[in-house]
Amino acid sequence: MTEEERNDGLEDLFRKKLEENEMETEGALTSRVMHSLQRREFFRFNLLRFNIYYLTFSLAALTVAGLILLTGPRDAEEASGDGLPQQAVTAARTDEPVLQGEVPQAGDTMKTSALRVRAATAQDEASGTVDTSGTITEKITGRETAIPHTRPVAETVKVSTVNTAGINTATGRTGPGNINPAAGTTAGGRIAADTTAMILSFETSASSGCVPLHVSFACNAEENARISWTFGDGGTTSLRNPDYIFDIPGSYRVTLTAIDSRGHASVASAVIEVWERPKAAFEVRKNEPFDEGDKVVFVNLSSGAAEYLWDFGDGVFSALPDPSHRYEQMGKYNVMLIAWSAEGCADSVMVSDLLTDRGMYIRFPNAFIPNSGGPTGGYYNLRTDEESSVFHPVASGVSEYNLKIYSKAGLMVFGSDDTEVGWDGYYRGELCAPGVYVWKVRGRYRDGREFIMAGDVTLLKY
Amino acid sequence: MMSEQHIIDGCIRHNRKAQQALWRQHSGYLLAVCMRYATDRPEAEDMLQEAFLKIYFNIGEYSGTGSFRGWLRKVTVNTAITCYHRNLRYKHNVDIDDYVSTETGTAGFEEDFCNAEDLYRVLGELSPGYRMVFNLYAIEGYMHHEIAEMLGIDVNTSKSQYSRARAILRKKLEDLADMNKR
């Protein structure tokens, strides 16, 4: 940068025109910046300004307060909404069992409001029975003033409940739900009433069994009761004596609900155990070809089973998991495996017509791809000839064998008396043209049976 | 009207009135500063908003020595540099025009042929890197080695960019002058 270049006054121009320049910042920009400032400030801690920390703190405080209110007397409103008298009331029958309430502590709103519910209970009864029941009123002086409620409520020391069964009600802190305020004899006495009514029950044809389990149910509910069954696996019915099939193993709670003519509901239930069945399976391993007296090995592939029984089909049985067996003669044998689970559920599987053909066979492929690198002599290994470069049979139990292969022109390109030697696709050292060739085989199995077969094979280009 | 010290103290206490007064008094000036560093007005406004937030939250750092306006401007320029670095990630292609060598005369510019708007426009047409270097060197008065440090570039890069920026600006202003004559 030379001085000369600067003499044109470019910098001066910019500096003069722009350095102290001011621009109009219109209202929209102003409010945008101010809003963004307020937002930023809200997320910064500052003692002097309402921000997120204040908000968090007050929310936390509110939550705690709310929890205190909720866990204490959920029914505080209910009680105060019942229009209780400002007088503390205690309803007690001397000849009745007595529910002992707690004496509220001054200023302890949680406890007092819990007691209010009991007070409400007491009041319901007391208002009906006040003449006959010898009401004792007990004022708790000096406490009401300590409770910061505009509407003072009854604080009970003793509350009585009507209990037809004469069972002693628990003393001490009883939850509000334990007492039904409206009905000492109807709703509250339902459990007791059930003892006098017929007990609902039902009978099942089975309480456990193997899947699929068929169970018949019979209930003893009164004749015109409304019945509903739930079987615990999603199934329901309103039949009186249903039959049901559980087709998935598991433990099911079957529930019977009966609503009698007076509208009272009763419930009975039972558990049905449905056991899983084992899965029986096995595999047969034997020599091929098979000679009389050879050992047959049975490989047990069952699952979920604890005990087995094998029926080899020739009158011999075994309880071994993996037995082997020698058959005295060739023949059609049906082998059966029965598997039992620990619960006694059974499954069986059968393999039929074992040892029928003695494992003697001969089969030919219909195409092969000769090795293009030169003749191999036709020797092959069943395991390594994966690219099928040699045309050869898959044979078992063959004692005599003669294979001839002809081209379409009728030229015999290959012949073999050994199943172990196949055609490598060469004729006199030259690779034969790709195409279809005809083969013919004649031979004899070890048991003397003769076989004559013919077919064609396609020589494919590598 | 609040005095400068009142405004500063008020802003330290996050007093809304003081904050608004600060905005009223200085936003126009600082917007003009931002305009020099921005491609267009919206970008300048974003820059200004960021600069003001920095100012509001860091006003306590103003030592009281030197002019308050100078401090505000420094914060704003630093904000512009931050924005430049941030944008560098997204805008790394330079207009081909910037590389065309331009014949530059040596005739001086008369002051009246153009106004501030024109200058903002030609600055805005520069690539961000050139604009940055030109602003810092020609107007803010930083030395090349300072600019190189601020922008994280080589001193020679700063010099050559300045030279090219200058040439481009000159060409553009000459064109502008020609157009105005006609």
Side-chain angles (χ1 to χ4, degrees), chain B residues 136-155:
Chain B
L136 293 173
Y137 187 86
I139 300 169
E140 273 14 288
Y142 287 106
M143 302 310 293
H144 277 304
H145 69 267
E146 293 171 315
I147 296 168
E149 202 175 307
M150 280 190 274
L151 299 184
I153 56 175
D154 193 71
V155 178

Side-chain angles (χ1 to χ4, degrees), chain A residues 5-6 8 11 15-17 21-26 30 32 34 36-38 41 46 49, chain B residues 14 16 19 23 27-28 32 35 41 46 49 53 56 69 109 111 114 120 137-138 162 166 170:
Chain A
E5 276 177 332
R6 294 217 175 147
D8 62 10
E11 286 81 4
R15 213 172 287 148
K16 270 187 201 146
K17 291 262 181 193
N21 190 31
E22 295 220 4
M23 292 179 81
E24 193 94 352
T25 49
E26 76 275 28
T30 308
R32 194 178 110 193
M34 287 301 149
S36 127
L37 173 66
Q38 281 169 27
E41 280 183 338
N46 181 355
R49 193 174 268 291
Chain B
H14 293 269
R16 191 68 73 220
Q19 286 170 338
W23 171 263
S27 62
M35 272 303 282
R41 172 110 185 189
D46 287 348
Q49 175 176 340
L53 290 175
Y56 283 133
R69 205 174 158 90
F109 287 106
E111 278 185 29
C114 63
Y120 284 132
Y137 187 86
Y162 176 72
R166 197 177 187 287
R170 202 192 146 81

Side-chain angles (χ1 to χ4, degrees), chain A residues 404-424:
Chain A
K404 289 189 174 84
I405 302 175
Y406 301 89
S407 73
K408 275 191 282 188
L411 176 70
M412 190 181 116
V413 291
F414 179 75
S416 172
D417 291 330
D418 187 351
T419 55
E420 302 290 308
V421 179
W423 183 38
D424 58 9

Side-chain angles (χ1 to χ4, degrees), chain A residues 74-75 98 114 139 154 177 197 265 305 323 331 336 398 413 447:
Chain A
R74 199 154 22 111
D75 311 68
V98 162
K139 260 190 190 168
M336 192 189 222
V398 173
V413 291
D447 61 357

Side-chain angles (χ1 to χ4, degrees), chain A residues 235-254:
Chain A
T236 59
T237 184
S238 57
L239 288 175
R240 191 176 171 85
N241 298 319
D243 281 9
Y244 197 74
I245 294 169
F246 296 91
D247 49 12
I248 298 171
S251 179
Y252 300 99
R253 176 163 288 276
V254 178

